[in-house]
PDB file of all heavy atoms in Angstrom:
ATOM      1  N   VAL Y 167       7.875  -0.110   9.790  1.00 95.00           N
ATOM      2  CA  VAL Y 167       8.312  -0.616   8.506  1.00 95.00           C
ATOM      3  C   VAL Y 167       8.291  -2.188   8.517  1.00 95.00           C
ATOM      4  O   VAL Y 167       8.749  -2.798   9.423  1.00 95.00           O
ATOM      5  CB  VAL Y 167       9.839  -0.136   8.489  1.00 95.00           C
ATOM      6  CG1 VAL Y 167      10.552  -0.905   7.159  1.00 95.00           C
ATOM      7  CG2 VAL Y 167       9.811   1.352   8.264  1.00 95.00           C
ATOM      8  N   LEU Y 168       7.782  -2.665   7.378  1.00 95.00           N
ATOM      9  CA  LEU Y 168       7.776  -4.210   7.234  1.00 95.00           C
ATOM     10  C   LEU Y 168       8.918  -4.625   6.399  1.00 95.00           C
ATOM     11  O   LEU Y 168       9.336  -5.730   6.612  1.00 95.00           O
ATOM     12  CB  LEU Y 168       6.518  -4.519   6.627  1.00 95.00           C
ATOM     13  CG  LEU Y 168       5.206  -4.200   7.430  1.00 95.00           C
ATOM     14  CD1 LEU Y 168       3.890  -4.661   6.760  1.00 95.00           C
ATOM     15  CD2 LEU Y 168       5.245  -4.737   8.891  1.00 95.00           C
ATOM     16  N   ALA Y 169       9.288  -3.918   5.400  1.00 96.00           N
ATOM     17  CA  ALA Y 169      10.390  -4.350   4.363  1.00 96.00           C
ATOM     18  C   ALA Y 169      10.912  -3.138   3.650  1.00 96.00           C
ATOM     19  O   ALA Y 169      10.012  -2.241   3.309  1.00 96.00           O
ATOM     20  CB  ALA Y 169       9.848  -5.458   3.505  1.00 96.00           C
ATOM     21  N   GLN Y 170      12.094  -3.313   3.266  1.00 97.00           N
ATOM     22  CA  GLN Y 170      12.768  -2.219   2.450  1.00 97.00           C
ATOM     23  C   GLN Y 170      13.538  -2.781   1.390  1.00 97.00           C
ATOM     24  O   GLN Y 170      14.262  -3.860   1.668  1.00 97.00           O
ATOM     25  CB  GLN Y 170      13.589  -1.268   3.251  1.00 97.00           C
ATOM     26  CG  GLN Y 170      12.672  -0.453   4.221  1.00 97.00           C
ATOM     27  CD  GLN Y 170      13.430   0.602   4.932  1.00 97.00           C
ATOM     28  OE1 GLN Y 170      14.440   0.288   5.617  1.00 97.00           O
ATOM     29  NE2 GLN Y 170      13.001   1.853   5.016  1.00 97.00           N
ATOM     30  N   ARG Y 171      13.676  -2.172   0.240  1.00 98.00           N
ATOM     31  CA  ARG Y 171      14.658  -2.621  -0.822  1.00 98.00           C
ATOM     32  C   ARG Y 171      15.384  -1.397  -1.204  1.00 98.00           C
ATOM     33  O   ARG Y 171      14.790  -0.409  -1.605  1.00 98.00           O
ATOM     34  CB  ARG Y 171      14.009  -3.262  -1.971  1.00 98.00           C
ATOM     35  CG  ARG Y 171      13.266  -4.632  -1.580  1.00 98.00           C
ATOM     36  CD  ARG Y 171      14.270  -5.672  -1.309  1.00 98.00           C
ATOM     37  NE  ARG Y 171      13.624  -7.000  -0.943  1.00 98.00           N
ATOM     38  CZ  ARG Y 171      13.361  -7.366   0.399  1.00 98.00           C
ATOM     39  NH1 ARG Y 171      13.639  -6.561   1.248  1.00 98.00           N
ATOM     40  NH2 ARG Y 171      12.772  -8.484   0.397  1.00 98.00           N
ATOM     41  N   ALA Y 172      16.718  -1.510  -1.510  1.00 98.00           N
ATOM     42  CA  ALA Y 172      17.466  -0.398  -1.937  1.00 98.00           C
ATOM     43  C   ALA Y 172      17.649  -0.392  -3.405  1.00 98.00           C
ATOM     44  O   ALA Y 172      17.447  -1.357  -4.039  1.00 98.00           O
ATOM     45  CB  ALA Y 172      18.949  -0.598  -1.376  1.00 98.00           C
ATOM     46  N   VAL Y 173      17.802   0.788  -4.054  1.00 98.00           N
ATOM     47  CA  VAL Y 173      17.832   1.039  -5.500  1.00 98.00           C
ATOM     48  C   VAL Y 173      18.906   2.086  -5.634  1.00 98.00           C
ATOM     49  O   VAL Y 173      18.848   3.102  -4.974  1.00 98.00           O
ATOM     50  CB  VAL Y 173      16.531   1.477  -5.950  1.00 98.00           C
ATOM     51  CG1 VAL Y 173      16.596   1.993  -7.414  1.00 98.00           C
ATOM     52  CG2 VAL Y 173      15.347   0.507  -5.784  1.00 98.00           C
ATOM     53  N   PRO Y 174      19.820   1.940  -6.603  1.00 98.00           N
ATOM     54  CA  PRO Y 174      20.799   2.904  -6.808  1.00 98.00           C
ATOM     55  C   PRO Y 174      20.286   4.284  -7.461  1.00 98.00           C
ATOM     56  O   PRO Y 174      19.395   4.193  -8.199  1.00 98.00           O
ATOM     57  CB  PRO Y 174      21.908   2.293  -7.720  1.00 98.00           C
ATOM     58  CG  PRO Y 174      21.038   1.195  -8.443  1.00 98.00           C
ATOM     59  CD  PRO Y 174      19.940   0.833  -7.432  1.00 98.00           C
ATOM     60  N   VAL Y 175      20.916   5.283  -7.159  1.00 98.00           N
ATOM     61  CA  VAL Y 175      20.650   6.641  -7.826  1.00 98.00           C
ATOM     62  C   VAL Y 175      21.772   7.007  -8.670  1.00 98.00           C
ATOM     63  O   VAL Y 175      22.925   6.817  -8.260  1.00 98.00           O
ATOM     64  CB  VAL Y 175      20.439   7.808  -6.833  1.00 98.00           C
ATOM     65  CG1 VAL Y 175      20.060   9.047  -7.442  1.00 98.00           C
ATOM     66  CG2 VAL Y 175      19.356   7.494  -5.678  1.00 98.00           C
ATOM     67  N   PHE Y 176      21.565   7.261 -10.000  1.00 98.00           N
ATOM     68  CA  PHE Y 176      22.604   7.570 -10.923  1.00 98.00           C
ATOM     69  C   PHE Y 176      22.704   9.126 -11.152  1.00 98.00           C
ATOM     70  O   PHE Y 176      21.588   9.792 -11.119  1.00 98.00           O
ATOM     71  CB  PHE Y 176      22.382   6.881 -12.242  1.00 98.00           C
ATOM     72  CG  PHE Y 176      22.389   5.355 -12.101  1.00 98.00           C
ATOM     73  CD1 PHE Y 176      21.383   4.606 -12.639  1.00 98.00           C
ATOM     74  CD2 PHE Y 176      23.371   4.761 -11.319  1.00 98.00           C
ATOM     75  CE1 PHE Y 176      21.355   3.243 -12.511  1.00 98.00           C
ATOM     76  CE2 PHE Y 176      23.303   3.326 -11.095  1.00 98.00           C
ATOM     77  CZ  PHE Y 176      22.314   2.547 -11.775  1.00 98.00           C
ATOM     78  N   GLU Y 177      23.810   9.640 -11.433  1.00 97.00           N
ATOM     79  CA  GLU Y 177      24.100  11.080 -11.639  1.00 97.00           C
ATOM     80  C   GLU Y 177      23.171  11.502 -12.763  1.00 97.00           C
ATOM     81  O   GLU Y 177      22.598  12.708 -12.903  1.00 97.00           O
ATOM     82  CB  GLU Y 177      25.523  11.434 -11.872  1.00 97.00           C
ATOM     83  CG  GLU Y 177      26.243  11.662 -10.630  1.00 97.00           C
ATOM     84  CD  GLU Y 177      27.724  11.919 -10.884  1.00 97.00           C
ATOM     85  OE1 GLU Y 177      27.992  12.551 -11.920  1.00 97.00           O
ATOM     86  OE2 GLU Y 177      28.396  11.870  -9.890  1.00 97.00           O
ATOM     87  N   SER Y 178      22.871  10.675 -13.746  1.00 98.00           N
ATOM     88  CA  SER Y 178      22.082  11.075 -14.931  1.00 98.00           C
ATOM     89  C   SER Y 178      20.588  10.989 -14.618  1.00 98.00           C
ATOM     90  O   SER Y 178      19.840  11.443 -15.562  1.00 98.00           O
ATOM     91  CB  SER Y 178      22.368  10.091 -16.129  1.00 98.00           C
ATOM     92  OG  SER Y 178      22.194   8.806 -15.688  1.00 98.00           O
ATOM     93  N   ASP Y 179      20.150  10.643 -13.433  1.00 98.00           N
ATOM     94  CA  ASP Y 179      18.713  10.404 -13.248  1.00 98.00           C
ATOM     95  C   ASP Y 179      17.964  11.740 -13.218  1.00 98.00           C
ATOM     96  O   ASP Y 179      18.476  12.722 -12.634  1.00 98.00           O
ATOM     97  CB  ASP Y 179      18.524   9.736 -11.846  1.00 98.00           C
ATOM     98  CG  ASP Y 179      18.504   8.235 -11.936  1.00 98.00           C
ATOM     99  OD1 ASP Y 179      18.049   7.629 -12.974  1.00 98.00           O
ATOM    100  OD2 ASP Y 179      18.928   7.490 -10.935  1.00 98.00           O
ATOM    101  N   ASP Y 180      16.672  11.574 -13.710  1.00 98.00           N
ATOM    102  CA  ASP Y 180      15.746  12.705 -13.349  1.00 98.00           C
ATOM    103  C   ASP Y 180      14.647  12.031 -12.569  1.00 98.00           C
ATOM    104  O   ASP Y 180      14.683  10.778 -12.294  1.00 98.00           O
ATOM    105  CB  ASP Y 180      15.226  13.376 -14.629  1.00 98.00           C
ATOM    106  CG  ASP Y 180      14.583  12.399 -15.630  1.00 98.00           C
ATOM    107  OD1 ASP Y 180      14.206  11.260 -15.193  1.00 98.00           O
ATOM    108  OD2 ASP Y 180      14.504  12.779 -16.850  1.00 98.00           O
ATOM    109  N   GLU Y 181      13.580  12.695 -12.224  1.00 98.00           N
ATOM    110  CA  GLU Y 181      12.518  12.119 -11.431  1.00 98.00           C
ATOM    111  C   GLU Y 181      11.805  10.915 -12.080  1.00 98.00           C
ATOM    112  O   GLU Y 181      11.486   9.836 -11.427  1.00 98.00           O
ATOM    113  CB  GLU Y 181      11.512  13.147 -11.041  1.00 98.00           C
ATOM    114  CG  GLU Y 181      11.895  14.107  -9.982  1.00 98.00           C
ATOM    115  CD  GLU Y 181      10.799  15.013  -9.533  1.00 98.00           C
ATOM    116  OE1 GLU Y 181       9.662  14.545  -9.186  1.00 98.00           O
ATOM    117  OE2 GLU Y 181      11.051  16.267  -9.527  1.00 98.00           O
ATOM    118  N   ILE Y 182      11.702  11.025 -13.408  1.00 98.00           N
ATOM    119  CA  ILE Y 182      10.997   9.820 -14.106  1.00 98.00           C
ATOM    120  C   ILE Y 182      11.942   8.648 -14.139  1.00 98.00           C
ATOM    121  O   ILE Y 182      11.407   7.582 -13.875  1.00 98.00           O
ATOM    122  CB  ILE Y 182      10.721  10.331 -15.569  1.00 98.00           C
ATOM    123  CG1 ILE Y 182       9.583  11.405 -15.516  1.00 98.00           C
ATOM    124  CG2 ILE Y 182      10.199   9.155 -16.417  1.00 98.00           C
ATOM    125  CD1 ILE Y 182       9.316  12.181 -16.800  1.00 98.00           C
ATOM    126  N   SER Y 183      13.111   8.816 -14.431  1.00 98.00           N
ATOM    127  CA  SER Y 183      14.062   7.637 -14.575  1.00 98.00           C
ATOM    128  C   SER Y 183      14.190   6.974 -13.209  1.00 98.00           C
ATOM    129  O   SER Y 183      14.167   5.709 -13.066  1.00 98.00           O
ATOM    130  CB  SER Y 183      15.408   7.857 -15.167  1.00 98.00           C
ATOM    131  OG  SER Y 183      16.107   8.857 -14.381  1.00 98.00           O
ATOM    132  N   LEU Y 184      14.304   7.795 -12.184  1.00 98.00           N
ATOM    133  CA  LEU Y 184      14.469   7.308 -10.816  1.00 98.00           C
ATOM    134  C   LEU Y 184      13.177   6.598 -10.325  1.00 98.00           C
ATOM    135  O   LEU Y 184      13.173   5.473  -9.818  1.00 98.00           O
ATOM    136  CB  LEU Y 184      14.831   8.398  -9.785  1.00 98.00           C
ATOM    137  CG  LEU Y 184      15.140   7.938  -8.431  1.00 98.00           C
ATOM    138  CD1 LEU Y 184      16.238   6.929  -8.512  1.00 98.00           C
ATOM    139  CD2 LEU Y 184      15.512   9.144  -7.599  1.00 98.00           C
ATOM    140  N   SER Y 185      12.041   7.218 -10.598  1.00 98.00           N
ATOM    141  CA  SER Y 185      10.725   6.610 -10.242  1.00 98.00           C
ATOM    142  C   SER Y 185      10.560   5.210 -10.970  1.00 98.00           C
ATOM    143  O   SER Y 185      10.123   4.131 -10.397  1.00 98.00           O
ATOM    144  CB  SER Y 185       9.652   7.545 -10.642  1.00 98.00           C
ATOM    145  OG  SER Y 185       8.376   6.932 -10.702  1.00 98.00           O
ATOM    146  N   ASP Y 186      10.877   5.209 -12.299  1.00 98.00           N
ATOM    147  CA  ASP Y 186      10.736   3.938 -13.024  1.00 98.00           C
ATOM    148  C   ASP Y 186      11.548   2.841 -12.339  1.00 98.00           C
ATOM    149  O   ASP Y 186      11.147   1.701 -12.295  1.00 98.00           O
ATOM    150  CB  ASP Y 186      11.186   4.061 -14.479  1.00 98.00           C
ATOM    151  CG  ASP Y 186      10.154   4.871 -15.252  1.00 98.00           C
ATOM    152  OD1 ASP Y 186       8.996   5.150 -14.772  1.00 98.00           O
ATOM    153  OD2 ASP Y 186      10.506   5.272 -16.384  1.00 98.00           O
TER     154      ASP Y 186
END
Side-chain angles (χ1 to χ4, degrees):
V167 170
L168 301 179
Q170 297 185 302
R171 292 293 178 269
V173 173
V175 184
F176 301 132
E177 272 181 23
S178 56
D179 270 330
D180 57 19
E181 284 185 50
I182 293 172
S183 62
L184 186 55
S185 163
D186 286 348

